[in-house]
Amino acid sequence: MNGILTLDEFIIQRQTEFDYSTGEFSRILRDIGFAGKVVHREVNKAGLVEILGKTGTTNVQGEEVQKLDEYANNRFIEALRFGGECAGVCSEENETFIAFDDKNSIDSKYVIAMDPLDGSSNIDVNVSVGTIFTIYRRKSGFLGKPCQLEDFLQRGTSQVAAGYIIYGSSTMLVYTAGHGVNGFTLDPSIGEFCLSHPKIRIPKKGVFYSYNHGNYTKFDDSIRNYVDHCFKETVNGTSYGYRYVGSMVADIHRNLLKGGIFMYPKTSDAVNGKLRLVYECNPMAFIVEQAGGRATNGHQRIMEIEPKELHQRTPIFIGSEDMVLEVESFL
Ligand code: AHG
């Protein structure tokens, strides 16, 4: 096993980088990694068992809930509840946050916000999906009191750590705790996430641009001008390349490694865009910024937007610094 560094070993090595570190934070990451492995197992055999398709219900956003959404949501909440190291969870799938009420959890100083299965409308056709998570230190005080709404409604600049798990051709967990970004690939033969992408840096300028072109006629002129420009633009003689998976995690993961921009601007029928600030945009913004990139709503840094509600949406432009600056110059 020479040369292999597992996620657990890596987290223990890094624990001393955190102020007030007690091991609680490390154990939360371990719990998330464990739930990720369970979801990986189900996603991988999804076509063989009765877990594809819709549950027949809609979530708080009015979106149809897939069976795997529900499965992943339950697995992550269970892992965090039984882990006893976090005070509560807010999830895309639940209308309000869940405050854990056992003794250990109540005394914990952290809360988690997450999208347990992002891009799940892709699952039936075997396209990559992901889990997005972020960890905040509680604002409400943490001795003997359940967590409060204010613990989740913090600016992205207060994130302690954030990450995603991509269930793709391999399953990877990528996270930052504010000291750079590291990626771990799941080795299914030993059931461990192993460090495979240390110190990820996003190229300053890339060639990939990703957005839903079906929304073209619903964009403002400024965005249409920008995408028209992308058709013609080249970098060192190479044309820009349009790529859109329709899973934010997969689109951003590609751009993080290869360079590019992902955007979900406002449209005429969705004036705040589609993606959620607290558990989608903020964690991705933290990761991309930590890798040297940029994430804004076109005018303001994503991580500086003050959240007013758990499921608040925001337009987002995220990726290679020069490409995000370029789109901003069109706005
Ligand atoms: P869902 O989880 O409902 O499949 O939504 C996925 C999100 C995000 O991952 C993706 O970038 C975006 O929605 C795609 O939206 P469009 O289908 O509007 O392009």
Side-chain angles (χ1 to χ4, degrees):
M1 301 286 274
N2 275 348
I4 293 179
L5 188 60
T6 68
L7 176 64
D8 288 354
E9 289 165 346
F10 184 86
I11 291 168
I12 291 165
Q13 281 184 10
R14 292 297 177 100
Q15 195 165 309
T16 48
E17 286 180 358
F18 304 103
D19 300 338
Y20 330 110
S21 181
T22 57
E24 203 176 342
F25 169 75
S26 307
R27 288 192 291 272
I28 291 175
L29 280 177
R30 185 204 55 199
D31 293 340
I32 290 172
F34 174 73
K37 288 184 216 172
V38 176
V39 171
H40 153 89
R41 188 190 63 196
E42 291 307 301
V43 166
N44 267 275
K45 62 181 185 189
L48 300 172
V49 290
E50 285 297 308
I51 199 158
L52 285 181
K54 304 178 173 96
T55 59
T57 56
T58 52
N59 66 14
V60 60
Q61 337 274 340
E63 297 160 347
E64 290 176 313
V65 177
Q66 308 285 325
K67 289 182 194 165
L68 266 166
D69 277 326
E70 199 169 81
Y71 181 86
N73 195 38
N74 292 340
R75 289 296 80 73
F76 278 100
I77 291 174
E78 233 170 53
L80 291 165
R81 186 195 295 278
F82 294 146
E85 307 291 352
C86 93
V89 177
C90 136
S91 159
E92 184 191 7
E93 301 305 327
N94 300 98
E95 187 161 359
T96 189
F97 64 93
I98 299 166
F100 298 148
D101 53 10
D102 63 283
K103 168 88 182 73
N104 289 341
S105 305
I106 279 185
D107 287 344
S108 164
K109 48 182 182 287
Y110 297 108
V111 293
I112 316 290
M114 65 189 322
D115 180 354
L117 206 62
D118 181 67
S120 56
S121 52
N122 283 323
I123 195 87
D124 287 4
V125 291
N126 213 347
V127 168
S128 300
V129 290
T131 296
I132 308 174
F133 62 90
T134 177
I135 306 176
Y136 284 96
R137 190 171 280 114
R138 288 172 66 181
K139 282 175 83 182
S140 57
F142 45 82
L143 281 181
K145 278 199 326 193
C147 61
Q148 308 290 319
L149 181 61
E150 64 179 304
D151 296 326
F152 297 94
L153 296 185
Q154 300 189 51
R155 285 192 174 88
T157 46
S158 301
Q159 292 172 101
V160 176
Y164 61 79
I165 302 171
I166 176 165
Y167 311 98
S169 47
S170 55
T171 290
M172 273 188 77
L173 185 150
V174 174
Y175 89 95
T176 182
H179 300 271
V181 181
N182 290 284
F184 301 80
T185 301
L186 181 64
D187 180 342
S189 66
I190 56 170
E192 294 282 357
F193 284 106
C194 302
L195 182 64
S196 53
H197 295 63
K199 298 184 186 149
I200 296 173
R201 301 296 296 169
I202 184 168
K204 194 158 182 296
K205 186 162 179 73
V207 293
F208 293 126
Y209 62 109
S210 324
Y211 66 95
N212 183 343
H213 193 66
N215 289 334
Y216 183 83
T217 57
K218 300 183 201 164
F219 290 148
D220 284 354
D221 286 347
S222 54
I223 298 294
R224 278 200 292 267
N225 290 339
Y226 171 68
V227 302
D228 292 347
H229 160 83
C230 289
F231 282 125
K232 300 173 209 141
E233 184 67 2
T234 55
V235 182
N236 301 329
T238 305
S239 300
Y240 274 17
Y242 175 73
R243 300 280 188 283
Y244 190 64
V245 177
S247 281
M248 184 196 203
V249 172
D251 280 310
I252 293 184
H253 182 69
R254 179 198 54 248
N255 293 350
L256 187 68
L257 300 183
K258 303 283 183 194
I261 182 171
F262 168 86
M263 57 185 195
Y264 210 109
K266 70 172 183 176
T267 57
S268 51
D269 52 6
V271 291
N272 293 315
K274 175 178 182 186
L275 301 175
R276 273 56 61 120
L277 173 63
V278 173
Y279 44 79
E280 292 178 326
C281 298
N282 267 334
M284 290 315 229
F286 191 21
I287 294 163
V288 167
E289 283 197 11
Q290 279 292 316
R294 183 174 174 89
T296 73
N297 65 1
H299 309 283
Q300 185 183 13
R301 192 176 165 214
I302 290 289
M303 292 208 291
E304 285 174 1
I305 300 172
E306 188 184 347
K308 304 267 192 235
E309 49 189 75
L310 289 179
H311 301 290
Q312 181 172 329
R313 298 172 195 262
T314 176
I316 185 167
F317 303 87
I318 181 169
S320 293
E321 184 182 18
D322 285 358
M323 297 183 85
V324 178
L325 287 170
E326 185 178 49
V327 68
E328 283 169 8
S329 72
F330 278 79
L331 300 179

